[in-house]
Each structure stands twice: as C-alpha cells, then as structure tokens.
C-alpha cells in the first residue's frame, strides 16, 4: 500500500469497506507507519472521513462486534 502510491490509493479506495487497520502492539506512544500514512492521506484529502473511519474502526465493529 505504501510502496506503490497510485495502486495503493486505488486499493484503499476500492476496498475501504473491507479493510481494517489493526496491530497487536499496546504501546500508544509508538508510531505505526501505516497508521500515520492513512491519517496523512486523510489530511491531504485523498481518503474521505468515511473511508478512513471505515478502515480504522467501523469495519472492525461491523465484523466482530455485530450488534
């Protein structure tokens, strides 16, 4: 996703409703390159709030916390 900018953006946009960001690290002070990258794409207007929220939270909740 990060190595090939154009294809990475296309992939994120195409599958935003299926992806979710996750890590097994609990250290909140550690910087995760992919998370920072996704947040920067949002800040730059490349990923919408809806796409970012889906990847960062909403998809996980939909799949694993079905209410």
């Amino acid at each position: 996703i990060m190595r090939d900018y154009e294809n990475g953006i296309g992939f994120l946009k195409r599958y935003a409703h299926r992806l979710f960001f996750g890590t097994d690290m609990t250290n909140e002070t550690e910087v995760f390159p992919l998370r920072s990258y996704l947040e920067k794409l949002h800040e730059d207007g490349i990923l919408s709030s809806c796409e970012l929220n889906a990847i960062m939270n909403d998809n996980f909740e939909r799949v694993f916390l079905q209410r």
Side-chain angles (χ1 to χ4, degrees):
I1 291 172
M2 295 171 61
R3 271 189 270 169
D4 186 335
Y5 182 79
E6 289 182 23
N7 285 324
I9 299 301
F11 180 84
L12 289 169
K13 291 185 137 319
R14 194 167 39 256
Y15 296 108
H17 64 289
R18 295 183 182 184
L19 299 170
F20 47 84
F21 173 82
T23 179
D24 61 352
M25 302 294 289
T26 59
N27 184 348
E28 293 184 18
T29 60
E30 190 167 337
V31 175
F32 299 98
L34 181 58
R35 181 180 183 155
S36 300
Y37 182 70
L38 294 173
E39 290 170 345
K40 175 97 169 82
L41 292 176
H42 176 254
E43 289 170 9
D44 293 346
I46 296 166
L47 286 181
S48 69
S49 293
C50 183
E51 291 165 331
L52 181 65
N53 289 337
I55 293 168
M56 299 301 277
N57 187 44
D58 297 345
N59 293 338
F60 176 87
E61 287 185 358
R62 179 175 44 80
V63 171
F64 293 104
L65 305 176
Q66 297 176 7
R67 298 178 187 189

